[in-house]
Amino acid sequence: MLKPQQTPFRDIVSLDGLWKFALGSSGNETAAPWTAPLATNLECPVPASYNDIFVDRQIHDHVGWVYYQREAIVPSGWSHQQYLVRVEAATHHGRIYINDHLVAEHVGGYTPFEADITGLVSAGNSFRLTIAVSNVLTHETIPPGRIEVEEFTGKITQVYQHDFFNYAGLARSVSLYSVPKQHIQDIRVVTNVDGTTGLIDYLVTVSNSTTERIKINVVDEDGRNVIEASGTRGTATIDSARLWHPGDAYLYQFQVSIVGSDDSIIDTYSVATGVRTVKVSGNQFLINDKPFYFTGFGKHEDSNVRGKGYDPAYMVHDFQLMNWMGANSFRTSHYPYAEEVMDFADRHGIVVIDETPAVGLSYSIGAGQSSEDSQQTFTPEGINNKTREAHKQAVRELIARDKNHASVVMWSIANEPASHEAGAREYFAPLVDLAHELDSTRPVCFTNYGDATYELDRISDMFNVLCLNRYFGWYTQTGEIEEAEAALEKELLGWEGKYDKPIVMTEYGADTIAGLHSVLGLPWSEEFQVELLDMYHRVFDRVESVVGEQVWNFADFQAAVGVSRVDGNKKGIFTRDRKPKAAAQTLRNRWRHT
Ligand code: GCB
């Protein structure tokens, strides 16, 4: 499914803006089919999560369906086109209704889906567009969760294992777009390098089998056509190719056209393509055959008022801040981010570890923290075969959407699953196979949880890179830097001794209240965060297999209310409104000088 693109043959009408908004049924009930104008005074911005927009606790806490509605018009010039409504994300379950008809449905809150409405609304006509969105998570969804009913009030609440607020709604763009009846459906490019020659293997899928020709042009950044080729599959060869390097992006436009029998162009689509290679060799992570060291963050799509709403101002500012710090990479913890973010990373040479929404596959973690609950995770009543089917779909949709991004160097198929519990291997083996089958060119990892030590973990041998999330000095050895240093080193050397694989520390950090100071360097102070990061860095520099450090987190972010989270998780190096804590300078000094 290609992202909408404006070309002489394709058009886009943005449906972003204010939509009518209303709450629907609570809980996991099936949404009533929507056949009427919404009777509501509420208007909700799209893109934005709806939770923090209104001054209404019921909306903030709602569990179940909500409705968004607006009128839209199919432009009259589209009468010979095919046209679709595209929803970039409906978190977590979306339904599209055109007037009274349900036309598309999708489960999975962070990947796009669309509905072809050509047969339903003629060009030049308006229609009522309703999108129903449910935020319910069950043990058969990714991420998983469960619904509870409060004993005295009967209130329905959503319980989940992940440590970020379950923001919901239409947090990314909605559009109406057109394509020619005969059109390019998908393009896949895989790049390789042979000496100074860049190779682009490509595969083009068109909407119906065609006798028309497929023409390929590869255009460089100066607009020069460097190659012409033809056919739906092949290899385009660029002599003296300029490579895409971290921090030094270079993108060719890989342009595909369908050419009619009279030589006229029927459709065209262009994929920004960075020529680069990614390999794991022993304990090294190689980009363009050179060892790469990841510096940067685990991030979140999160900001005040918008929740997870895509906002280009925050996006550009976040990239500016990362650049200011010398960060060369980030992980899309804990779900695929808006596609605009991936495009931006491609254009600016930022390296991405791209993650599925499989967070919380561990019943020993409650909302991100160890809980006493020792219920086993992988059981028929818990994370089971149906969960795995949903997880497979999440892997498929992530790779289908992001396969062409040069910035993406690795797939992370889960965050902190109970990889030390019985059943983990059986659960994960087919998922690892699937990821490799869908993309044999990128390494596959998962991020490992602290309790699943190198002695207890049951699955890491199946993955290419060891990604570790560790909180020595915070959740364990709290405030004891020396103790924590010894424990961290022992753990890292344990992994290094067991596997000949690169290690990326994908999470480490400490909750820190901006403005809280302590001459004693006590936990929660800015001084403690600095001291803790310095300690981790000393250890990383002593362990050869460590090929990267991504601090948790780029910025403070909202989490479920609980007794240990005060207005969210405070492990940010920046506050939620992107003001630096003292540790920003610590990281900047280290990353700008390595
Ligand atoms: C983790 C999780 C992350 C949490 C973090 C924390 O291990 O992967 O989602 O936010 O710990 O701060 O507890």
Side-chain angles (χ1 to χ4, degrees), residues 251-326:
L251 295 173
Y252 291 93
Q253 292 301 324
F254 185 87
Q255 291 178 353
V256 179
S257 307
I258 305 180
V259 184
S261 45
D262 57 355
D263 275 356
S264 64
I265 296 190
I266 296 171
D267 187 22
T268 174
Y269 194 94
S270 185
V271 176
T273 305
V275 178
R276 56 108 187 91
T277 60
V278 175
K279 276 188 210 106
V280 170
S281 172
N283 64 3
Q284 294 192 318
F285 194 98
L286 307 175
I287 299 184
N288 299 330
D289 284 329
K290 292 198 195 77
F292 178 71
Y293 192 93
F294 297 77
T295 58
F297 300 96
K299 281 189 97 260
H300 262 302
E301 292 189 311
D302 178 89
S303 64
N304 275 317
V305 185
R306 308 157 187 75
K308 296 207 167 303
Y310 168 71
D311 180 328
Y314 268 96
M315 179 187 73
V316 173
H317 190 56
D318 283 3
F319 275 97
Q320 283 282 312
L321 291 174
M322 286 195 281
N323 181 53
W324 174 76
M325 310 222 17

Side-chain angles (χ1 to χ4, degrees), residues 163 334 368 415-416 469 471 475 507 552 557 565 569 571:
D163 179 33
H334 295 308
N415 182 73
E416 300 195 348
N469 296 352
Y471 288 95
Y475 291 125
E507 286 185 26
W552 191 255
F557 58 90
R565 291 279 181 261
N569 185 307
K571 294 194 185 69

Side-chain angles (χ1 to χ4, degrees), residues 71-94:
E71 292 289 312
I73 298 178
V74 179
S76 54
W78 289 9
S79 53
H80 298 294
Q81 300 281 96
Q82 189 174 335
Y83 32 90
L84 303 95
V85 170
R86 163 128 172 162
V87 178
E88 297 298 337
T91 316
H92 297 279
H93 180 170

